[in-house]
Amino acid sequence: MTAQTLYDKLWQSHVVHEEADGTVLLYIDRHLIHEVTSPQAFEGLKLAGRQPWRVGSIVATADHNTPTDNWDKGIQDPISRQQVETLDANIREVGARAYFPFKDQGQGVIHVMGPEQGATLPGMTVVCGDSHTSTHGALGCLAHGIGTSEVEHVLATQTLVAKKSKSMLISVEGQLGAGVSAKDVALAIIGKIGTAGGTGYAIEFAGSAIRGLTVEGRMTLCNMAIEAGARAGMVAVDQATIDYVQGRPLAPTGAMWDQAVAYWKTLHSDEGAQFDAVVELKAEDILPQVTWGTSPEMVVTVADRVPDPAQEADPVKKSGIERALSYMGLTANTPVNEIPVDVVFIGSCTNSRIEDLRAAASVIRGRQKAANVKRVLVVPGSGLVKAQAEAEGLDRLFVEAGFEWREPGCSMCLAMNADRLEPGERCASTSNRNFEGRQGQGGRTHLVSPAMAAAAALAGHFVDVRSF
Amino acid sequence: MKAFTTLNGLVCPLDRANVDTDAIIPKQFLKSIKRSGFGPNLFDEWRYLDHGEPGMDNSTRPVNPDFVLNFPRYQGAQVLLARENFGCGSSREHAPWALEDQGLRVVIAPSFADIFFSNCYKNGLLPIVQPAEVVDQLFKECVASEGYRLTVDLAAQTVTTPSGQSFAFDITPHRKHCMLNGLDEIGLTLAHADKIRAFEDARKQSLPWFYV
């Protein structure tokens, strides 16, 4: 048999039916659902008089619209409240394997909650009406975002109409330096291949530096595969994956656990498997990253300067740089570590897991938020992450430094709730997108790691966390 | 879904690369639980001078006269001409819903983001990939000639300029069939219900832990 990639194995084990043109019906194991992209799908299902195919595949939570403070007051915005209540009603009517509604301790950002609950298992196909579903590939899954019509299609048929992507291997060999995290690796990769570099591909991240990451770190990396244009990112199963899954509420136990582990151990690319594209990076070359523009590929290291459009020959790229500098309120050639910040956001499906909060807290060391920084929001990824952080005393470290310790949710990553930037405010953010208006109309986002965000909060400007 | 066969439509050029779905339809409009009515908020932050929120009367809002979609010559456009990586970012289907609700039926670009690209087909919006040189040429012709229209023939898989120059485009047979006939994809898939059931039963036997 020819050597297969991990992607080949995951794909082939889920093909139900194949058309002559290569279009397949791909079986879906896990369907994650949140309040924003599902109401129209449930409505469509009902209007067509259809039943969900397998309710046991559904795991749901409310995250995008939920507030991160004053939970006793409920959801103040009536339109947000209606959307969350619509999810409550739909799950009540249809059912689910598990549902973590607003204020439940299991509630959280769906891509934090899924793996944390054991809802995401190696070897699964995992879909969700959310592009950051790529996160779950960290566990050796085929996981990607879908649109609302596809949410309805999966509800009704347990399959997706899909065509196989090309395969890309991104290999990072070596050891990451102190203060360099999975987020920096993700941004460095996007800086290298661009935001469309992975379009049409499923990416497997491999190499000694990737194997050296925790499963949480791999989630951060796979989360941002979509920012490189790839619907799906994945990492092969190893002992770290298996250790991560064991004991999770929805993970198998007993004899089934042993059978599952034996199967999961086959979930890696075979020796000699061929990829359509290969990208290689050296871990030692990756330094702490800071985005300066309005696309994640507009990224430099903290030791660099903001680029100068005069140095760019390509006219489309040049006007893109000019436009981004104007939106971001930056002057060409400004040293990154002289850019002051107004707001800091530590959270999102990219960086709100316990190790992210530990990394941010470890930078504080008794120091205070800088006077020019107006707000620092620390938003844990789930109720369970919040409880864990509080058990470790991280919340006290944040509060003593002048940071705000919030309830879990998507929060200022996309500003659908009340947490948002005011026009012109500049934010050091651990989220995944620095698009115009992403964190609030006119807001200016710089993507960084949790440690870099915490350091910026204390210094009042970007600073190299390795020497801070 | 609306069927798509042929279209002769006015073209609007949006000359920016990496137009993301947050720009196409900002997040505050995602709070709606409906599929329709997103058209007036398409490109909201570029299109208006004030901050838009759901429930506002968009007809009374100050429009940005410098945004191309507001130019009088492009009113009623059905074809959007765009640059590379159009539709990058989130999976929100509200983006094609907003484009379609605005009256657009075709988007032509050198490349599209994957999720946006597949979302378009579910909504009768035809995304057409053309080489960057062709897109460049169409931009130049469109800007130079007021009332510039393109003819799109899905059955023939061609885009034809007013001077009669024709460009072929790719589409999978499955997607073409669904779009030409305005078919409900779920209905088509359920024709294979027995096969799905058999696959699932076999999987429950061999990999039971997935069904815990």
Side-chain angles (χ1 to χ4, degrees), chain A residues 14 17 21 27 29 40 50 53 77 83 97 147-149 152-153 200 231 323 414 433 437-438 441, chain B residues 16 22 27 30-31 34-35 46 51 89 91 93 114 118-119 173-174 184 189 195 200 203 212:
Chain A
H14 290 87
H17 170 80
D21 70 352
Y27 185 78
D29 294 308
Q40 298 88 351
R50 292 180 175 128
W53 184 280
D77 175 356
Q83 199 166 55
R97 174 67 182 85
T148 297
S149 293
E152 185 180 338
H153 193 278
R231 264 189 166 199
R323 191 182 155 75
L414 86 166
R433 291 191 175 131
R438 171 78 178 180
Q441 188 170 23
Chain B
R16 296 181 193 196
D22 277 84
K27 80 278 292 172
L30 273 53
K31 296 178 186 179
K34 299 191 187 121
R35 259 178 210 267
W46 294 343
H51 175 75
S91 66
E93 200 160 316
D114 285 346
S118 53
N119 282 342
H174 178 85
D184 164 16
T189 298
K195 227 171 160 175
E200 189 167 56
R203 193 168 170 78
V212 171

Side-chain angles (χ1 to χ4, degrees), chain B residues 87-108:
Chain B
C88 61
S90 97
S91 66
R92 62 187 70 166
E93 200 160 316
H94 312 67
W97 292 340
L99 290 160
E100 198 270 341
D101 199 56
Q102 170 70 24
L104 292 156
R105 299 296 312 277
V106 174
V107 184
I108 301 174

Side-chain angles (χ1 to χ4, degrees), chain A residues 77-132:
Chain A
D77 175 356
I79 314 176
S80 287
R81 188 168 64 240
Q82 183 192 27
Q83 199 166 55
V84 172
E85 288 173 350
T86 301
L87 178 64
D88 288 338
N90 283 328
I91 298 295
R92 212 165 34 238
E93 188 179 332
V94 165
R97 174 67 182 85
Y99 181 43
F100 305 101
F102 175 49
K103 293 189 188 179
D104 186 283
Q105 205 192 14
Q107 183 253 347
V109 181
I110 197 150
H111 309 308
V112 175
M113 176 277 288
E116 175 181 82
Q117 293 288 340
T120 309
L121 297 174
M124 279 183 163
T125 43
V126 179
V127 294
C128 176
D130 191 289
S131 60
H132 291 110

